[in-house]
Every structure is written in C-alpha cells, then in structure tokens.
Amino acid sequence: MNTAPPEPPPGAPGTHARPRIGLLGSYGGFNMGDESILTCLLGCLRTQRPQARLVVFSRNAAHTRTHHHDADEVVDWEGVSRNHVLDALTGLDLLVLGGGGILFDGEARRYLRLVRAAQEHGVRTFAYAVGAGPLREPDDREAVRTVLAEMDDVVVRDEESRLVLEEVGVEREIVVTADPALLLASETFTDRMMSDEGMPAGVRLVGMSVREPGRAAENLDEGGYHALLADVADFLVRRLDAHVVFLPMERHDVRHAHAVLSHMTAPDKGRILHGTYSPGQLLGFMRHLDLAVGMRLHFVIFAALSGLPVLPLPYSGKVFDFARRIGAPALVGVAREQAGLLLAEVDRLWDEYPQRRAVLQSRVRELRTLAEETCVRCGNLLDDIEAAEYAEARQPPPQASEVRPLSA
C-alpha cells in the first residue's frame, strides 16, 4: 500500500518554485568576521530553503564568487550604477540585511539606502542579527529610524545594539539573539599547514588579536595599546614558556601585529599568521592554541567556540557584551595604565580555567541556540511570504462587469 502523503497543489505554501533571497552586508574579503557571518547565513538559508536562489550583494564580487560557492549569484554594489543594483534588488522575494556590525556612522545610511529601495519595490526585508553603534550622525540616525520601522523583522546580536536602536528612536519590537558566526563549522588546520606557518612544535601557543583605531574603536591610543599588548605578550612568554601567534582578522591587523612585536623584549617568540584561510580553517587553527587574548570580536568568538581560556580586550560595547555573555573577564578598556590589572587577569585566567571551562562551554551552547533562533525566524518569514503568494494566486480573477443594453 502506498503511504506517501498526497502531493500538495502547485504553489501551496512550502512549494515555492525557487525563491530569490538577497544577502546584503560587508562581504568581499575585508574582514574575517564578516566572511564567517556570510558563511553561516548561506548555510542557514540553504537549510531553510534548499531550492532558493541566493544572491549576495558584495563589495568585492570576485572575492565572494571565489570563496563562497553556496552563492548562486553575486552582485557588486559599490562603484556601479544604481540601475545595476536596482535590477538585482527588484527581482527578490526577500532581502536579508547583515549580520554583523554594519549600522554605524558613515555606513548605516549606505546599506539602508539599498534596503529602502527594496522596500519601495515590494521586497520583504529582514535584519539578521545586526550590530548597531555608534550612531551620532543625523543622516545615519534618520535612516535607521525610518527604514528599520518598515522591515518585516529586526533581530540584533547583542543588548548593546538594541539599546543603541532604542536611543535612536526605533519604535518597534527588536529581538536580541547572538552573532551568526557562533554557528561556524570548524575545518581542519593540518600539521603541514602549521609547519608552513613556521609554528614550533611541542610548545605552548597563545593567540593574540590586535586591530587598528577607527570609527569602531575611536578611543584607542595606538602607541599605548601597542606597548600594552607587548607587555602582555612578554608576560605570557615568561609565565607559560609560550610562543605568541598574532591572528590577523583584517588585512590592516598585520601592521599592528608588527608594531606590537617591535615593542616586545622577546620578539623571537612571536609569529604572525600570514596565509590566506577560510573562516572555518582559522577556527580550526584555534584548536592548536592553549590560550587567547584579543581585541577583535570574532577572534574572541572563535576562541570561545574552541573552548579556549580567553581574555577579551574590550575596545567597544560589542566586545564587552560578548565577554559578559560567556562569563569571561570583562575589563573596562585597553589603556597603558591598565598593564598591571591586565597581567593579573591573564595570570588568574590561566590558573582558574579548569574550573571555568564548564561555565564557558554551557554559555557557548546557549548562545549557539540563540544564533539558531535567528535562522528559524528568517525561515518563518519565508513561510509567510510563500503563504501570501499562495493566497494571492488562489484569488479568482476579477469578473468583467455585466453590460446591459439600453432599452429602446
């Protein structure tokens, strides 16, 4: 007896031929955190809608085509005509904004201009665990306030971002989940790859992450924090008999890693990771480390995913918020006068980590569950879109009005 369920009628919810879903973010190889987010978003959407046509709006389409094979189509959106982008936007069923920290001064208005254009052409829009702040510029605040109000769902990755949006005047439900990169799958970083990077065998390895000052870290004193991190690196060399490995999460990080090395009294015990790796491979590299100390958010996320004792160095609210959520020591900032406090925290972290490990692992599991919630919400919106299309398709065509001849 055939027990297969009956075939649903064509066009029924869940049987949409091939929805077109756009992804808009800071993609294109500029930052490893953004690339890891794109990897996870593509994976989410493939799970939710295996048959979907995924269209990535990239700042460097060639890079995205090379490194993200789950994308069916990649569209440049910087340095091209407005009509070129509009043509790609108007054919979408859904535009996904994010995730990551893209709603900040100077950038928010650029991304939201495209979101607004999609909305004006009837495209549904979803903010996927975005980060927000700082937002002080009037044009950016106005764009955030007006465009987010018209989005179908707004999800942010941390409490800090929700508070920023509320302060700007966004009056709607804002859901807090977690960074999409928490769902990244690790790839093997082989012994041969370690050897090619000149990593010494049989010694402790400590990972470090530095970053440049900029709009997201505008209060950093460059010389002061270079010297501070050099002090930390030298302490780790002495305390743990370790080698220190700098992991560039963005190309500008290499210069700052060299600056820290130049301040170290034991620069021969320092290395900079030079190869080009996928986000999953970089996460795999973290599993060779014994401890992590760093500034960039996604370096800290990768360390937490790898079960490493990690000391975040908060230069902004998003790093402080994540440190708090995983139960890691959360220092107030990164300043030269904090050297003694920082070294004491590193020392305590190393000594107490066996007792802290279970807490970290539990917190990371909770955050991964929250990150999955964003994916589910996006899938629910796709269900709503398909249900609306199905209902519209079932509407009978309008009947022509009966015309009665005039009586003679």
Side-chain angles (χ1 to χ4, degrees):
M1 184 174 66
N2 183 7
T3 58
E7 287 290 322
T15 66
H16 192 286
R18 198 177 187 196
R20 288 175 59 88
I21 304 171
L23 295 89
L24 172 64
S26 186
Y27 312 134
F30 299 94
N31 178 283
M32 186 60 71
D34 293 315
E35 296 305 297
S36 65
I37 287 171
L38 178 56
T39 299
C40 294
L41 263 64
L42 289 167
C44 160
L45 293 169
R46 276 283 170 247
T47 300
Q48 293 288 337
R49 292 296 186 279
Q51 79 280 20
R53 184 165 181 82
L54 303 182
V55 183
V56 177
F57 292 83
S58 173
R59 297 171 64 191
N60 184 334
H63 180 279
T64 300
R65 288 190 192 100
T66 300
H67 295 278
H68 294 278
H69 301 297
D70 261 343
D72 297 297
E73 183 180 339
V74 183
V75 178
D76 273 307
W77 67 275
E78 289 189 319
V80 297
S81 72
R82 176 178 171 81
N83 287 340
H84 170 78
V85 180
L86 279 178
D87 287 344
L89 282 174
T90 54
L92 299 176
D93 295 284
L94 174 66
L95 177 63
V96 175
L97 173 68
I102 55 179
L103 299 182
F104 62 91
D105 288 325
E107 289 291 291
R109 73 192 82 165
R110 298 175 64 245
Y111 290 104
L112 294 178
R113 194 174 297 126
L114 298 188
V115 177
R116 191 197 310 271
Q119 291 170 341
E120 289 172 349
H121 286 82
V123 177
R124 308 284 287 272
T125 53
F126 180 88
Y128 197 113
V130 296
L135 281 170
R136 304 187 191 96
E137 295 293 329
D139 288 348
D140 292 292
R141 293 170 67 90
E142 176 65 16
V144 167
R145 186 164 47 246
T146 57
V147 177
L148 266 62
E150 300 300 319
M151 298 189 79
D152 290 271
D153 200 0
V154 174
V155 182
V156 296
R157 67 181 176 186
D158 52 46
E159 189 66 25
E160 173 85 5
S161 296
R162 184 181 68 82
L163 293 174
V164 168
L165 295 182
E166 289 181 348
E167 189 277 328
V168 166
V170 176
E171 296 182 352
R172 58 162 303 145
E173 180 189 23
I174 300 169
V175 176
V176 180
T177 59
D179 195 284
L182 283 153
L183 300 178
L184 185 66
S186 177
E187 299 173 31
T188 301
F189 200 97
T190 65
D191 291 340
R192 174 62 183 272
M193 295 162 75
M194 293 289 287
S195 176
D196 289 345
E197 286 283 359
M199 296 296 154
V203 301
R204 288 192 178 117
L205 295 176
V206 175
M208 291 193 75
S209 163
V210 298
R211 64 156 296 144
E212 84 290 350
R215 282 175 294 189
E218 53 195 6
N219 295 321
L220 281 181
D221 168 50
E222 190 170 305
Y225 93 81
H226 287 164
L228 171 65
L229 294 187
D231 287 346
V232 174
D234 283 328
F235 173 78
L236 291 166
V237 168
R238 295 190 305 270
R239 171 75 165 82
L240 305 181
D241 192 21
H243 282 64
V244 176
V245 185
F246 293 89
L247 280 70
M249 302 294 285
E250 198 171 279
R251 60 177 177 265
H252 299 300
D253 295 354
V254 175
R255 179 174 70 85
H256 293 278
H258 280 292
V260 174
L261 276 171
S262 72
H263 284 80
M264 289 178 61
T265 59
D268 56 306
K269 296 294 182 71
R271 298 282 188 280
I272 301 173
L273 209 62
H274 286 293
T276 301
Y277 303 107
S278 70
Q281 287 173 325
L282 200 60
L283 178 57
F285 175 79
M286 304 290 285
R287 301 187 185 278
H288 292 272
L289 302 178
D290 297 281
L291 184 141
V293 178
M295 302 176 70
R296 284 203 178 271
L297 173 63
H298 286 92
F299 170 87
V300 178
I301 289 175
F302 286 8
L305 287 173
S306 303
L308 285 174
V310 56
L311 180 65
L313 301 177
Y315 64 88
S316 69
K318 63 184 180 183
V319 183
F320 184 89
D321 187 277
F322 187 75
R324 178 187 57 79
R325 294 176 88 176
I326 63 172
L331 303 178
V332 175
V334 184
R336 187 73 177 90
E337 58 271 16
Q338 293 178 311
L341 174 62
L342 184 52
L343 297 182
E345 283 289 355
V346 172
D347 204 33
R348 182 161 61 240
L349 176 66
W350 179 255
D351 288 338
E352 296 180 0
Y353 186 66
Q355 292 78 43
R356 293 186 179 186
R357 181 182 289 111
V359 172
L360 173 64
Q361 292 171 340
S362 174
R363 298 284 185 89
V364 169
R365 283 194 298 270
E366 292 170 4
L367 289 172
R368 284 173 57 85
T369 298
L370 285 172
E372 289 168 350
E373 181 184 322
T374 319
C375 183
V376 171
R377 293 182 73 92
C378 191
N380 291 342
L381 177 56
L382 286 164
D383 290 342
D384 291 345
I385 292 169
E386 292 177 6
E389 291 176 355
Y390 177 60
E392 184 178 345
R394 286 177 60 85
Q395 291 293 324
Q399 298 295 314
S401 301
E402 262 189 48
V403 179
R404 297 183 178 180
L406 295 172
S407 56

